Amino acid sequence: MSDIATVRPPVTATEASVEVMFPRAKKRIRGRSIAVLVFLTMAALFFCVPLYVLVVTSFKSMDQIREGAIFSLPRQWTIEPWIYAWSQACSGITCTGLRGGFWNSVAILFPSLIASISLSAVTGYALALWNVRWTGAFLFLLFLCAFVPFQIIMYPLIVITVGMGIYGTLWAVAFIHTVLSMPVLTLIFRNYYKDIPADLTKAAIMDSGSFWQIFVEIILPMSGNILIVVLIMQVTHIWNDYLIGVTFGGLGAAPMTVNLANMVTVSTGTVAYNANMAAALLTAIPPLFIYFLLGKFFVQGIAAGAIKG
Amino acid sequence: MPSVSFEHIVKKYGEVKVLSGLNLAIDHSDFLVLLGPSGCGKTTLLNLLAGLVDVSSGRIMIGARDVTELDPKDRGLAMVFQSYALYPTKTVEGNLRFGLSALKLPREEADRRIKWAASLLQLEALMGRKPAQLSGGQRQRVAIGRALVKHADVLLFDEPLSNLDAKLRTEMRLEIKKLHEELKPTVVYVTHDQIEAMTMATKIAVMNGGEIQQFGTPDEVYEQPANLFVAGFIGSPAMNLIEASAVWDGERLSAIAADGLHFDLSGYDYCTRHPSQDQPIIIGMRPEHFVIGEPSSSAACSLQLPVRIVERTGSDAILSLSFGSLLIAVRIEPDRAARLKVGELVTVTYPRTKLNLFDAQSGRRL
């Protein structure tokens, strides 16, 4: 309502006699709003202060860090810790920085993303829009699967991947990521496709009748929003995962998170706080980047124009 | 252009029987309107014909083909949906082209048909637009175009005009009627709007409670309703229905209603046997058949009743006359209505040949 003044054309001298102004009482900030504002500020600080420390520390030299003033800005900004973390820091006995872990994570991320999203999108589409026998029971089963903790089925999964001959490789990590995210993703896609107007599906069935043609030409172009949501969810989830990576990746296929953990948990020598902070930030950047990149592509109204306004 | 027939169609949803043993057959190039209130099973019947819903038992024939077990795309049908159901991410042209995807036509033939439909429905200027950029009437035309490009033998319409405003609805009604006369497809059209049914249909099937109440031409359905449901459903304002009992007076049959009102029933064309003495019957009178003025020899009855309400719509006017606790609707000239005042006594007569008689117990036409 406060925008009302900006919508009105400016009152010129000739119009002034015609234009009647209706003064409005200014909105006062009430006690309750102040409480909310204070709470939000505290919550923001709660997250921002550690982040601030993380960022400034990563640009400090070790000499300044030893002085102990963790909130002070770096006297001399240096990117030395970042370079060290990326290419020279030791995790265990190998001293090649986070590079290896980064590329491992990338190599795990893409197959897992493609397999999990494409499989669950097609499954969700079939369950939502086609007559599948036992749909209800199947959905209930998926729902249950979504709540099974990974730790319970960890050992059987190891046996399975060993049997498949992929244990200890990137493929094992990607495979487990795909399998474990299928139930939730399928439910998400199914619920999204269920809201597509029934007449639209009927029309497509009469026009084409082909399962794949309808999916590719009609349904997939309407899935932009949910694909972006799922993509963000999966990128964050897969990139930040530690447990699956450390369990199935073995030595050669450890993702970035495992690499980072090995790097910062040294029990001998000095702790290179600045390099550790830089390494942590390096690990956290890719999902953030994806988030900002994809957030722009949200569009409104999947079925705009399909049915009556 | 083939005929369509439904034979002993039963449709159950779980325990609920929506259709029980329905039979209906129409000729080639017929324009069949399935008319009825919501929930009467008309849309179910259309979906069964389209193949979008499976029959529980029975047989559906299109021409000489039994299509009961065929997939929707193989039945040679095209359908226009109530909500238009356009593909939102495709352009108008893309929508028309997708309509052809099951037919696997060569490219030139597909282009030729899309061009033909576009010029027929004046869509040429809109071909590159998305459905969201079209108005309601334009969307409806695209939906019809998507059905026409298939050159299907049978066109199905599921309440296609119910989302349009009154003016556009009248225009599209004419346009669909014109298309039917030019292209002569067999049409099955579902609606609850009796004006659409009366103006477009060559055959009307009035449905209620999953059963066909009457099947016939619009004139038959209007002039000779088969039962009380049809009599009350078709016509606006509805037919006036008055309870009475039959009286034999020598060789002549008449009826006495409340207040001792006397109806002369001689000259009525009975489709069943004559009613017996004291049989309760219901007399139906269309509002437009009343004549204002003194009784003549051809009148079945003469009523002198006070005016209760006068409704004028410009082109005509409806009087509501108090008759006991009922209101009797009478259609009259608007300029005559302008002179009438509420409470004034009006004498109206009703011609014998226009009477409708129903058995009060079964509801059937006598």
Side-chain angles (χ1 to χ4, degrees):
Chain A
M1 292 307 285
S2 60
D3 287 348
I4 198 83
T6 59
V7 205
R8 271 196 194 156
V11 180
T12 60
T14 49
E15 273 179 322
S17 52
V18 196
E19 188 91 358
V20 184
M21 297 294 288
F22 297 97
R24 280 162 195 283
K26 277 207 176 138
K27 287 259 167 71
R28 277 183 57 233
I29 296 176
R30 260 173 284 148
R32 228 180 326 165
S33 329
I34 293 173
V36 170
L37 282 175
V38 168
F39 174 77
L40 288 178
T41 313
M42 280 168 61
L45 283 177
F46 185 78
F47 286 101
C48 286
V49 168
L51 187 65
Y52 166 79
V53 172
L54 199 64
V55 172
V56 293
T57 309
S58 74
F59 287 105
K60 285 177 189 172
S61 64
M62 278 306 287
D63 292 337
Q64 192 189 349
I65 291 169
R66 283 192 201 96
E67 290 166 14
I70 59 168
F71 291 107
S72 63
L73 283 170
R75 269 197 301 274
Q76 185 110 48
W77 291 79
T78 168
I79 57 159
E80 205 61 34
W82 289 74
I83 296 167
Y84 179 79
W86 176 250
S87 56
Q88 288 154 34
C90 298
S91 53
I93 49 165
T94 52
C95 292
T96 52
L98 279 173
R99 266 183 308 181
F102 175 81
W103 292 114
N104 279 347
S105 277
V106 171
I108 290 165
L109 184 66
F110 281 95
S112 326
L113 278 183
I114 293 167
S116 63
I117 293 177
S118 55
L119 283 174
S120 52
V122 173
T123 317
Y125 155 70
L127 287 174
L129 304 180
W130 292 78
N131 288 325
V132 179
R133 204 178 280 257
W134 308 116
T135 303
F138 191 61
L139 285 173
F140 184 67
L141 207 63
L142 282 176
F143 184 69
L144 285 185
C145 288
F147 286 99
V148 174
F150 166 62
Q151 286 82 346
I152 291 181
I153 52 168
M154 197 148 96
Y155 184 68
L157 284 175
I158 291 173
V159 174
I160 290 171
T161 47
V162 169
M164 291 166 74
I166 55 172
Y167 181 78
T169 66
L170 297 171
W171 294 107
V173 185
F175 175 72
I176 298 298
H177 274 304
T178 306
V179 170
L180 290 182
S181 55
M182 281 288 288
V184 173
L185 292 193
T186 304
L187 287 174
I188 289 176
F189 276 110
R190 188 258 172 188
N191 284 351
Y192 185 77
Y193 291 145
K194 198 167 52 71
D195 291 339
I196 287 180
D199 277 359
L200 201 63
T201 325
K202 287 183 186 174
I205 287 174
M206 291 193 73
D207 282 347
S208 154
S210 148
F211 181 89
W212 291 107
Q213 189 183 18
I214 294 173
F215 181 66
V216 173
E217 286 201 39
I218 308 294
I219 303 300
L220 212 50
M222 291 170 72
S223 317
N225 280 351
I226 197 68
L227 283 176
I228 287 169
V229 169
V230 167
L231 208 60
I232 289 174
M233 217 177 91
Q234 282 294 88
V235 167
T236 318
H237 176 74
I238 295 170
W239 193 272
N240 292 345
D241 159 74
Y242 175 77
L243 193 52
I244 295 175
V246 81
T247 312
F248 292 87
L251 280 179
M256 202 171 184
T257 44
V258 177
N259 202 338
L260 173 72
N262 288 342
M263 188 188 289
V264 299
T265 52
V266 286
S267 48
T268 55
T270 50
V271 183
Y273 288 110
N274 52 0
N276 289 352
M277 303 287 174
L281 284 170
L282 277 173
T283 313
I285 283 170
L288 275 179
F289 176 72
I290 295 289
Y291 187 83
F292 286 120
L293 191 75
L294 292 181
K296 284 188 180 167
F297 290 103
F298 274 102
V299 279
Q300 290 201 330
I302 51 159
I307 55 169
K308 58 180 167 159
Chain B
M1 300 301 145
S3 56
V4 172
S5 63
F6 297 93
E7 298 170 10
H8 311 291
I9 299 295
V10 176
K11 177 61 193 170
K12 284 188 270 189
Y13 287 106
E15 287 302 299
V16 186
K17 257 191 186 178
V18 183
L19 301 171
S20 46
L22 182 141
N23 288 295
L24 182 65
I26 53 166
D27 289 334
H28 60 90
S29 297
D30 256 346
F31 195 122
L32 169 70
V33 171
L34 298 173
L35 179 66
S38 340
C40 71
K42 56 191 194 298
T43 300
T44 305
L45 194 59
L46 194 75
N47 282 335
L48 290 174
L49 177 57
L52 298 166
V53 177
D54 291 330
V55 293
S56 302
S57 75
R59 194 161 73 135
I60 301 170
M61 304 284 288
I62 296 177
R65 286 191 305 150
D66 180 350
V67 298
T68 320
E69 299 294 324
L70 289 183
D71 273 349
K73 67 176 165 65
D74 300 323
R75 295 193 179 196
L77 304 165
M79 186 154 168
V80 179
F81 293 87
Q82 177 177 10
S83 62
Y84 321 136
L86 300 180
Y87 308 121
T89 54
K90 287 187 176 292
T91 60
V92 169
E93 190 185 345
N95 267 279
L96 297 184
R97 198 175 290 282
F98 195 82
L100 293 169
S101 49
L103 303 179
K104 311 250 183 307
L105 295 173
R107 180 107 194 158
E108 306 84 67
E109 173 63 10
D111 288 342
R112 206 184 54 74
R113 287 195 188 181
I114 290 167
K115 227 172 162 180
W116 165 79
S119 72
L120 190 69
L121 295 163
Q122 293 134 42
L123 295 172
E124 285 109 331
L126 312 172
M127 291 307 263
R129 293 210 206 158
K130 295 272 175 73
Q133 299 163 308
L134 301 176
S135 70
Q138 290 169 332
R139 286 180 204 176
Q140 189 58 72
R141 289 218 302 277
V142 176
I144 293 173
R146 193 176 62 189
L148 288 182
V149 287
K150 294 188 202 178
H151 289 189
D153 300 329
V154 183
L155 278 179
L156 312 181
F157 289 87
D158 183 8
E159 309 204 16
L161 307 184
S162 54
N163 288 333
L164 301 176
D165 62 55
K167 185 168 173 289
L168 210 50
R169 198 179 306 164
T170 317
E171 282 172 29
M172 290 303 296
R173 207 165 66 202
L174 272 175
E175 216 152 310
I176 292 175
K177 199 174 156 77
K178 243 168 53 195
L179 281 174
H180 180 249
E181 272 160 21
E182 270 170 50
L183 308 171
K184 286 282 171 202
T186 308
V187 173
V188 180
Y189 187 108
V190 164
T191 185
H192 58 254
D193 183 324
Q194 47 170 307
I195 309 285
E196 281 173 32
M198 294 299 292
T199 50
M200 292 195 283
T202 61
K203 292 280 171 58
I204 294 180
V206 183
M207 294 182 68
N208 189 37
E211 280 171 14
I212 292 183
Q213 303 290 325
Q214 187 171 6
F215 175 62
T217 65
D219 286 347
E220 282 167 7
V221 170
Y222 188 79
E223 301 291 344
Q224 297 176 325
N227 56 37
L228 282 172
F229 175 81
V230 179
F233 191 75
I234 307 256
S236 173
M239 185 185 278
N240 299 294
L241 298 170
I242 294 172
E243 289 173 22
S245 54
V247 179
W248 284 95
D249 164 22
E251 282 303 292
R252 286 164 66 88
L253 184 61
S254 54
I256 305 289
D259 297 351
L261 182 65
H262 182 268
F263 288 90
D264 181 358
L265 303 185
S266 60
Y268 179 74
D269 191 11
Y270 291 95
C271 54
T272 56
R273 57 186 183 78
H274 289 46
S276 49
Q277 177 72 20
D278 292 334
Q279 183 181 339
I281 60 172
I282 288 176
I283 297 170
M285 295 180 287
R286 289 277 179 209
E288 64 273 23
H289 294 320
F290 282 98
V291 180
I292 295 207
E294 289 309 302
S296 66
S297 59
S298 65
C301 67
S302 162
L303 301 153
Q304 196 177 35
L305 299 171
V307 175
R308 183 76 192 282
I309 301 165
V310 182
E311 288 174 295
R312 290 193 293 151
T313 63
S315 58
D316 62 5
I318 308 293
L319 289 185
S320 295
L321 307 177
S322 296
F323 176 69
S325 59
L326 299 173
L327 286 179
I328 290 187
V330 175
R331 174 168 284 151
I332 61 166
E333 303 272 307
D335 49 348
R336 194 195 282 265
R339 293 197 299 271
L340 286 170
K341 281 189 210 70
V342 171
E344 199 173 323
L345 280 178
V346 178
T347 308
V348 290
T349 64
Y350 194 85
R352 278 206 298 264
T353 51
K354 300 289 188 186
L355 281 177
N356 293 278
L357 301 185
F358 303 94
D359 182 358
Q361 253 138 35
S362 66
R364 287 208 200 90
R365 185 181 186 83
L366 287 170

